[in-house]
Amino acid sequence: MMKKLLNFLVFASLWGTAQAAPLKLTVHSDAGEALWYAYVYVNGRAVAVTDTCGVAQVPDEKLNLGDTLSVRM
């Protein structure tokens, strides 16, 4: 069953200047509850699934400038 995307916060972390790091996402409901097992898509292609804390990591090699991120559950 698909629900509308509620709110999601994007946190990018850098491990160093010479090394690429994954994009770390936290997916929440409007009430602030973590949404687990939500699929994260880049340009319509599933690339990650959130864990029980609502956190997913999208590998850097899956992202390009101008990509569209979306979440479905």
Side-chain angles (χ1 to χ4, degrees):
M1 183 170 151
M2 186 186 291
K3 289 187 174 185
K4 73 173 190 168
L5 171 64
L6 302 172
N7 289 325
F8 68 96
L9 302 174
V10 177
F11 298 98
S13 59
L14 299 174
W15 295 103
T17 56
Q19 165 179 344
L23 176 68
K24 187 175 180 181
L25 304 167
T26 303
V27 182
H28 299 258
S29 70
D30 286 335
E33 299 170 337
L35 297 178
W36 28 311
Y37 301 114
Y39 286 83
V40 178
Y41 292 82
V42 175
N43 299 327
R45 176 169 281 169
V47 295
V49 178
T50 60
D51 62 15
T52 56
C53 296
V55 176
Q57 292 190 25
V58 178
D60 182 56
E61 62 271 4
K62 303 269 184 185
L63 296 169
N64 292 304
L65 189 62
D67 283 347
T68 300
L69 282 159
S70 61
V71 178
R72 295 184 193 140
M73 68 172 300

